[in-house]
Amino acid sequence: MNITATGSAEVLTDDQPRDPGHGQGSLAKLMAGAIGIVFGDIGTSPIYAFRETFAGHHTLKPDALHIYGVLSLIFWSMLIIVALKYVTIIMRADNKGEGGSLALLALLNRSSDDTERRKWATGIVMLGVFATALFYGDSMITPAISVLSAVEGLTTVNPGLEPWVIPIAIFILVGLFAIQSRGTAKVGQLFGPIMLVYFTVLAVLGLIHIVKHPAVFLEMLNPLNAFEFYFAEPLPAFIAMGSVVLAVTGAEALYADMGHFGRRPIKFSWLYVVMPALLLNYMGQGAMLLAQTPAEALATVRNPFFFLAPDTLRLPLVILATMATIIASQAVISGAFSVTQQAIQLGFMPRLSIRFTSEHAAGQIYIPVINWALMVMVILLVVMFGSSSNLAAAYGIAVTGAMLIDGVLISVVLFSLWKWPAWKAIPLLFVFFTIDILYFSANLLKVPDGGWFPLLIGAIAFTLLTTWAKGRKLMIDRMSEASLPIEVFIKSAATSATRVPGTAVFMTTSMTGVPHALLHNLKHNKVLHERVMLLTVRIQDVPYVPATTRIETKEYGAGFFRVVIRYGFMEEIDVPAALAQIKDCGQQVKMMDTSFFLARQTLITAARPGMAVWREKLFAWMLRNAESAMEFFKLPTNRVVELGSQVEI
């Protein structure tokens, strides 16, 4: 099945390989960049994960049984979910260097034969789209909980600052979203050094307390402590998993951001820098609590991360943690932009205004409507929930749902793409699914306390994504029903119509028929240009297309040409720039002698088989609010003619 591309009738998908060009530079430089961007989410988890497990909505007594059990769960979850599942297995399933649910869908679509694809195509595509939808809920909660949890550290410096926590958090978040339009290139240069300092501080603070209670090191590595916790208190242990999973939130970002840095820098950064620092910090929090009296531990466990630092260094730690959470939020916001761009290019969202904020890094983009929508929702979350502890009740369902879906997708990869034997794949998948299902089930208990929010956002996003994809397909099918073969048209009309100087470019999705805009133009204006180009833009199932295969042309005679321009789903579309490179369609295309003809469809709701009426109305609303094809394809504003038509689906 080919994924029908973008939010316009002028774009299709295709399957062509490309040369991966990601992750260029020295390993050390790429590792520093990865540490600064990829690990922000999982790196800030120590601020609230341990606290929520013991002092959240379902409290645990901070004694040896629970502390050792939770530490063991954290260690083995990091080892199995992050190091084994994502870093070792899933990150090998890259689509020409790119990762993420949509990139993996494109890989599966392109790499499997028709027989195997029919077995799982529809279900897998829906799961992948739903994982993408869940990401939007995650991208709203992550900035809110991260920044709020860091600012709450001020109360450990001065309890009187508590009324200022929410206003300060909102101020920081508004500032963060306000600077998105300027790009993150310059600010991004500081991300790596700041996060390196942050992870170093995490490790040092942890070590300071570990030396006072060294037994915590071996106890954390011992998986029997996790089982002992479960056998002693099955229900509290199961509930605790809903908070323990906060320690591995952000694992999916390693895969999604792989295209920016490559597999090796992310793998080495995780194994040699990030994971050791995180584990040392969690051990330090546990050791600190174990070294205290029960009364002291009950007070400390309400914010153990900040109490790791002595009083004189607590304010600098709050500032450093706040900077780290801003970086983590930036990574999620940038991820929302990237996912949206992929969804537009692959045909799951209508055209939106996309601005490129860097001349050198194609991945640095800004999508205004997504940015401001995220800002509004994030601020609403901060005001509605009021504390990071309340937000933690909503956090986790989207992440564990996405992890479970990733498990399903990697199952298809193991059997259909990599052809692993059952004896090798099944035990591994059994471990992955057991852990994923346990974590997802534990997080379902959070639904009444706020977990409904990411599920609601996911359901809304899923409905929008699938409605657009299906509506576009139905519209293209309806328009193709009345299509006239181009050869017949040329023989009957091209020889008798008046020809005028210049070039006319008619945008079309079809490779066989006559574009509706061409028929309307001839019907009303009764002329044809000397050179007529039927242009189709194709979005391929790869991130980038090499220049050698970008343009394909075919001559019909009588001044008619078929032109296909190919782009990867991570590339910026610029039709005039591509047309200027054509050399085998007569004279070079000059914009001052060229007119672009676009068809603008008006949807008429009808009771025809296809979609429910409410979805037709939703699709019509999305169609009306899509960005103009003129802007999307970067067409010169004074050279565009739009011709309307009505379509029933």
Side-chain angles (χ1 to χ4, degrees), residues 573-645:
I573 296 176
D574 190 336
V575 168
L579 289 177
Q581 300 174 16
I582 297 176
K583 296 181 173 36
D584 51 1
C585 291
Q587 296 181 348
Q588 184 178 15
V589 177
K590 298 179 180 179
M591 286 301 105
M592 292 306 296
D593 298 326
T594 302
S595 297
F596 293 88
F597 291 84
L598 305 178
R600 176 174 288 274
Q601 295 84 24
T602 300
L603 183 68
I604 300 176
T605 303
R608 298 181 60 169
M611 287 199 302
V613 173
W614 69 268
R615 291 189 74 187
E616 289 187 14
K617 293 181 179 179
L618 176 60
F619 174 68
W621 173 80
M622 296 173 76
L623 190 65
R624 288 194 302 271
N625 288 278
E627 184 192 22
S628 166
M630 177 181 65
E631 297 176 1
F632 187 80
F633 292 113
K634 292 186 169 48
L635 306 181
T637 55
N638 60 342
R639 309 304 303 172
V640 174
V641 178
E642 287 193 353
L643 299 171
S645 61

Side-chain angles (χ1 to χ4, degrees), residues 1 122 147 243 271 293 318 336 356 386 406 476 493 535:
M1 147 179 179
T122 303
V147 173
S243 298
L271 293 177
T293 64
V318 172
F356 288 76
D406 285 343
I476 292 170
L535 175 62

Side-chain angles (χ1 to χ4, degrees), residues 19 21 134 233 263 270 348 539 542 550 554 567 572 618:
D19 260 344
L134 288 175
E233 300 177 357
R263 185 187 308 138
W270 170 253
F348 290 107
I539 306 300
V542 293
R550 185 173 303 282
K554 176 182 178 181
Y567 290 95
E572 178 183 10
L618 176 60

Side-chain angles (χ1 to χ4, degrees), residues 391-448:
L391 273 169
Y395 202 26
I397 287 185
V399 174
T400 54
M403 287 180 177
L404 185 58
I405 292 172
D406 285 343
V408 176
L409 296 179
I410 201 63
S411 301
V412 178
V413 170
L414 293 181
F415 287 111
S416 296
L417 268 62
W418 297 347
K419 308 295 182 184
W420 278 28
W423 65 266
K424 183 179 179 182
I426 290 177
L428 194 65
L429 292 173
F430 176 78
V431 173
F432 291 162
F433 278 117
T434 299
I435 295 175
D436 288 341
I437 290 172
L438 279 173
Y439 273 127
F440 182 69
S441 302
N443 274 277
L444 287 177
L445 298 175
K446 296 181 177 181
V447 171

